[in-house]
Amino acid sequence: MKRKMICASMFYMLGLFFASFFTGWLLIVAIIALMPILFSKSARKSFPFVAISFITGFIIFTLYSRNVYDKITAYDGKEVSFRGKIESIDIYENARAGFILDGKINSEQKADIIFYGEDYNCDIGDEIEFVGEVNAIENDYLFNGETHYKSQKIFLKAGSVKNVKLIKHNGLSIRCIFNSYRERMISDFTTKLGAKEGGFLAGMIFGEKNNIEYNEKTLLYRSGIGHIMAVSGLHTALVAVIVVYLLKKLRLNRYIRFSILLVVMLAMMLLVNFSVSVIRAVVMILILYSSKLFLRESDTLNSLALAVLFISIENPFVIYSAGFWLSVCGTFGIGAVGPYFSSFTERKVLKSIIGTISASIAVMPPMLCFFGEISVVSVISNLLILPLCLLVIAVGVVYVISGGFISLLYPVKYIIRLIVCVSEYLGGLGFSYIPCDKKLMPVIIMILLFAFLVKTVTENKKLTAAVLAAGIAVFTVVSVLYSRNGYNEVKTAILGKNENAVVCITYGGNADVIDLSGNSKSPMYLEKYLSQCGIRKINSLYLTKNQSSQLSAYAINVTYDIDKIFLGEELTFSENWGTIKADRVYYDNQSFEYDCGKYSIIYKEGCLELKNNDINIAVAECGHAVDEDMDIAIYCGKFSEKDIFDVNGIYLDKTHKECINGINNFILTQKSGKFVIRRL
């Protein structure tokens, strides 16, 4: 029965996966790649059962897409009336807020939507009613919003609306009570530990990452311990262990212990807003302890299979969730792959190392698919830092469970500082991570499938481990070589959102950056682009607008060393502005010229000219006259009717249909006498 449950879960998920990601000839190629699993010993014994599970997953996903997703997204771009109950609230700057609403469109179609509006001083459980246009959620260069919210069954958003009404219910719902308790605990953390350390602890306990700076989160993930900020099985298991230990001390019978554990697990899901990784962990823990309740045996794979089926049957679109895949793959690596390869030794340290390596390998496919980079130092980081993280989490959990009565927060402040210091050091090393293009996804999948085939045919653990290690080594080399493709070519990237532009020229592993718009999010776009390119250093950073605020934004959101910062005005700031330790160079009259050897940068009164042997590019504000010797012109900023219109230009403002317009985040190159635009 256990083996059938595992097969059912695995092939049901494969059915969902194939229905969601593969169409046409890709589906045929994917099925061919699936053959080693279909004809493995375990699958051959129950082939009809396996086939039914796969087909069921494929059909359920297809039906859900047509009968739910397509019906809701049919309202994209239309004006509708909507009334829905507030499920969650995120407060932003300038008295703005984002709400997830559960309600009905035009009083007929049930749907969850994201609504952006004012901070109405409302609570979870209240209702919001409005009339306005709804739009499908789209992926952005910084954030794959469509994919993220699709996994939560949220497909539409609303912003500019009218006739907004707030319907207060003034009742204390269970979710409202738990949300208030959660906010009180987070407030306690920041009050007693300080904003930085308190925000870090809130991230570890509740997955609340709003108080952690962007560059700190980036370095955490590059060091390989970013998973501690995603409340997962590690946190849930720790809570279960503490609760069960305390209940055993009270000498309660196993039925009462299980009932109390069930209540605590449900409470934890409420506190973390039903995180999919926590739901997975809770189901597995309840299966484990219920088996003891009924004097039955349970194993990790069987529990994981049941948890996966439970979650994916309720929500077929969970297949798009990064948290779900990281949780499932990490659990599989620790609970199945690790014990398989460590069975030859009884040494706990060696078992721990093998388990950590197994988990790191198991999460490589989702890390590559969703984040585009893989940590090289994750094994070292987890062995060094994870014990400290467990201690911090344990103290935080005890504090939350006791309502703050049992407090050991003061020493935790210094442990968190040590964790941050070590993780930032490891994450900041030049070799800490490898940027991986998603095009390499089939390579890592084929390596894992080949290792599985070797394991199935030979049943030789050492040979399987050798094949897996060799495959990962080959993949690492391929990734490094792929990331260095065009290393000695001059590439010009235009980054930003809408009419904003930050220009990045890369050559030989270094970058020169010109920020033309002064938008506060420009550093985030730059950080992601440099990460994808494997760039380790910024030669020069030119700030042309909002220079004081932009310095702060780059200090917070960019993790790379900067040699020189070019400024158009004298600014009163400390020698080291935040994390930026760079030489300052001042230019006069809003113009500068810089010869980088392979190319030159000329800026004058809102117009940037980039010149090299292959291509001459102008990036100018709308309405600016561009020299005729420029090969191509890109216009940023808002366009007005009085501005000069260039039908051959590229306008970042989306209002012009007569030209190439509305594209952001692209690389411009010239090959064989033609301009090539590649979207990022």
Side-chain angles (χ1 to χ4, degrees):
M1 179 62 188
K2 290 181 180 180
R3 184 59 58 189
K4 285 187 177 182
M5 181 57 66
I6 295 169
C7 285
S9 175
M10 181 171 67
F11 284 95
Y12 176 81
M13 289 299 295
L14 280 172
L16 295 179
F17 181 80
F18 276 49
S20 60
F21 285 96
F22 299 111
T23 56
W25 66 270
L26 285 176
L27 180 60
I28 298 173
V29 173
I31 291 177
I32 293 173
L34 187 64
M35 289 299 149
I37 298 178
L38 289 173
F39 291 100
S40 63
K41 289 182 180 179
S42 58
R44 284 203 308 266
K45 293 177 182 178
S46 53
F47 188 83
F49 185 73
V50 163
I52 290 172
S53 299
F54 179 86
I55 293 170
T56 300
F58 197 97
I59 291 174
I60 285 179
F61 185 92
T62 303
L63 291 176
Y64 189 86
S65 297
R66 292 179 180 177
N67 296 325
V68 178
Y69 176 75
D70 289 349
K71 286 185 177 180
I72 293 175
T73 53
Y75 292 95
D76 177 28
K78 297 180 180 179
E79 185 171 284
V80 302
S81 63
F82 186 88
R83 176 169 175 167
K85 182 172 68 174
I86 299 174
E87 294 290 316
S88 70
I89 307 171
D90 288 318
I91 306 299
Y92 307 129
E93 296 178 352
N94 303 320
R96 302 290 293 175
F99 307 88
I100 293 180
L101 305 178
D102 178 13
K104 286 187 176 182
I105 300 173
N106 296 338
S107 302
E108 56 184 17
Q109 177 62 56
K110 190 178 184 305
D112 289 359
I113 72 166
I114 302 175
F115 169 61
Y116 298 101
E118 299 177 11
D119 180 4
Y120 299 106
N121 192 26
C122 50
D123 296 315
I124 290 175
D126 293 341
E127 290 185 292
I128 291 179
E129 183 178 340
F130 63 83
V131 174
E133 184 178 301
V134 292
N135 301 103
I137 300 171
E138 297 177 347
N139 287 334
D140 179 75
Y141 182 64
L142 286 182
F143 176 56
N144 292 329
E146 179 189 4
T147 305
H148 174 78
Y149 287 110
K150 202 173 184 178
S151 69
Q152 302 176 35
K153 299 189 288 188
I154 303 171
F155 315 130
L156 296 174
K157 63 180 179 180
S160 300
V161 299
K162 54 189 176 183
N163 302 331
V164 179
K165 295 180 182 178
L166 174 65
I167 299 97
K168 298 282 287 185
H169 287 285
N170 299 319
L172 289 179
S173 66
I174 293 177
R175 290 199 66 177
C176 188
I177 292 170
F178 274 90
N179 186 67
S180 298
Y181 185 74
R182 165 194 168 102
E183 294 302 318
R184 183 168 74 83
M185 291 294 102
I186 293 174
S187 177
D188 283 359
F189 292 160
T190 54
T191 301
K192 295 182 179 182
L193 299 180
K196 185 173 182 178
E197 289 80 8
F200 198 90
L201 183 57
M204 296 175 75
I205 302 300
F206 298 111
E208 179 61 56
K209 298 183 278 290
N210 291 338
N211 294 323
I212 304 175
E213 292 181 354
Y214 183 85
N215 60 352
E216 290 181 350
K217 286 187 284 188
T218 300
L219 292 174
L220 279 173
Y221 281 100
R222 286 180 181 169
S223 68
I225 64 164
H227 59 83
I228 65 171
M229 292 297 164
V231 183
S232 61
L234 178 69
H235 302 65
T236 313
L238 190 58
V239 172
V241 167
I242 293 173
V243 171
V244 170
Y245 174 79
L246 294 175
L247 293 176
K248 284 184 177 180
K249 290 294 182 181
L250 296 175
R251 299 184 181 278
L252 300 173
N253 70 56
R254 63 178 185 269
Y255 296 103
I256 296 176
R257 290 204 304 266
F258 181 79
S259 299
I260 295 175
L261 178 64
L262 175 61
V263 172
V264 172
M265 292 291 98
L266 292 174
M268 183 172 182
M269 288 195 294
L270 282 165
L271 280 174
V272 299
N273 288 327
F274 294 95
S275 164
V276 68
S277 56
V278 170
I279 294 174
R280 191 274 310 159
V282 166
V283 173
M284 289 187 66
I285 288 168
L286 293 178
I287 291 171
L288 172 65
Y289 283 98
S290 65
S291 66
K292 295 179 180 179
L293 183 68
F294 298 106
L295 304 178
R296 297 290 183 92
E297 290 186 4
S298 172
D299 63 19
T300 302
L301 275 179
N302 196 45
S303 302
L304 179 61
L306 281 169
V308 166
L309 276 178
F310 174 81
I311 294 170
S312 58
I313 289 174
E314 189 275 332
N315 177 16
F317 279 5
V318 76
I319 200 82
Y320 295 112
S321 171
F324 173 77
W325 281 111
L326 288 171
S327 178
V328 170
C329 292
T331 303
F332 178 77
I334 294 172
V337 180
Y340 174 80
F341 286 118
S342 63
S343 58
F344 68 89
T345 181
E346 296 299 324
R347 296 181 180 180
K348 292 184 178 180
V349 175
L350 190 56
K351 281 182 176 290
S352 177
I353 293 173
I354 293 173
T356 303
I357 294 173
S358 299
S360 299
I361 293 173
V363 300
M364 282 181 70
M367 284 293 293
L368 173 58
C369 180
F370 292 101
F371 301 105
E373 61 183 48
I374 296 173
S375 174
V376 175
V377 297
S378 61
V379 174
I380 298 173
S381 300
N382 279 279
L383 290 173
L384 291 177
I385 305 174
L386 197 57
L388 295 176
C389 294
L390 288 172
L391 177 59
V392 171
I393 292 170
V395 171
V397 166
V398 170
Y399 186 91
V400 172
I401 291 176
S402 67
F405 182 74
I406 303 176
S407 177
L408 299 171
L409 293 183
Y410 184 74
V412 162
K413 180 176 184 177
Y414 300 98
I415 299 175
I416 290 175
R417 287 181 180 177
L418 179 60
I419 292 171
V420 173
C421 182
V422 175
S423 63
E424 287 185 349
Y425 173 77
L426 292 174
L429 294 173
F431 57 84
S432 63
Y433 73 101
I434 300 173
C436 300
D437 195 287
K438 293 180 182 180
K439 294 177 182 177
L440 298 177
M441 186 73 178
V443 177
I444 189 65
I445 291 177
M446 293 303 296
I447 289 170
L448 296 177
L449 285 175
F450 184 68
F452 179 81
L453 181 62
V454 171
K455 180 261 179 190
T456 303
V457 173
T458 66
E459 292 294 341
N460 188 318
K461 295 181 181 179
K462 291 184 178 180
L463 179 60
T464 304
V467 169
L468 192 58
I472 297 301
V474 169
F475 177 77
T476 301
V477 172
V478 170
S479 297
V480 171
L481 293 176
Y482 192 89
S483 67
R484 291 176 67 89
N485 182 37
Y487 187 78
N488 290 321
E489 294 180 4
V490 178
K491 296 182 180 180
T492 303
I494 310 298
L495 310 169
K497 186 174 183 179
N498 297 331
E499 69 276 0
N500 298 306
V502 55
V503 181
C504 179
I505 309 105
T506 57
Y507 174 74
N510 295 315
D512 292 287
V513 180
I514 306 96
D515 190 323
L516 296 176
S517 305
N519 186 271
S520 60
K521 288 190 176 181
S522 292
M524 297 183 187
Y525 287 89
L526 176 66
E527 172 77 17
K528 181 167 183 177
Y529 174 69
L530 294 179
S531 173
Q532 290 177 327
C533 296
I535 302 296
R536 310 295 181 183
K537 181 181 177 183
I538 299 175
N539 284 335
S540 58
L541 170 64
Y542 302 82
L543 301 180
T544 63
K545 293 183 179 180
N546 306 326
Q547 296 181 48
S548 180
S549 60
Q550 283 302 88
L551 270 173
S552 178
Y554 277 91
I556 293 172
N557 297 310
V558 173
T559 59
Y560 299 92
D561 292 333
I562 303 174
D563 276 356
K564 295 180 180 179
I565 298 180
F566 287 75
L567 302 163
E569 57 181 303
E570 289 279 354
L571 298 177
T572 56
F573 58 93
S574 62
E575 190 65 28
N576 297 329
W577 184 279
T579 58
I580 294 180
K581 301 176 182 179
D583 295 333
R584 298 191 298 274
V585 179
Y586 296 99
Y587 56 86
D588 297 324
N589 301 320
Q590 293 296 309
S591 64
F592 55 79
E593 184 171 347
Y594 187 60
D595 186 0
C596 303
K598 189 71 175 179
Y599 52 89
S600 60
I601 301 171
I602 304 169
Y603 178 80
K604 185 176 182 180
E605 297 178 351
C607 181
L608 173 69
E609 295 181 358
L610 308 172
K611 297 183 177 181
N612 62 62
N613 295 331
D614 299 322
I615 186 173
N616 294 327
I617 304 171
V619 186
E621 294 183 356
C622 286
H624 198 290
V626 174
D627 289 345
E628 293 182 358
D629 62 340
M630 292 292 105
D631 295 311
I632 195 165
I634 301 166
Y635 296 94
C636 58
K638 290 287 186 181
F639 186 90
S640 63
E641 294 303 324
K642 64 180 181 179
D643 289 333
I644 301 170
F645 181 69
D646 181 1
V647 72
N648 296 315
I650 298 176
Y651 285 82
L652 302 186
D653 190 342
K654 297 182 179 182
T655 57
H656 298 285
K657 307 299 181 184
E658 299 88 351
C659 60
I660 302 175
N661 71 91
I663 60 172
N664 293 92
N665 306 301
F666 61 91
I667 298 176
L668 188 62
T669 56
Q670 187 179 34
K671 294 182 180 179
S672 303
K674 296 181 179 180
F675 295 110
V676 178
I677 296 176
R678 181 171 69 85
R679 295 291 299 269
L680 294 168

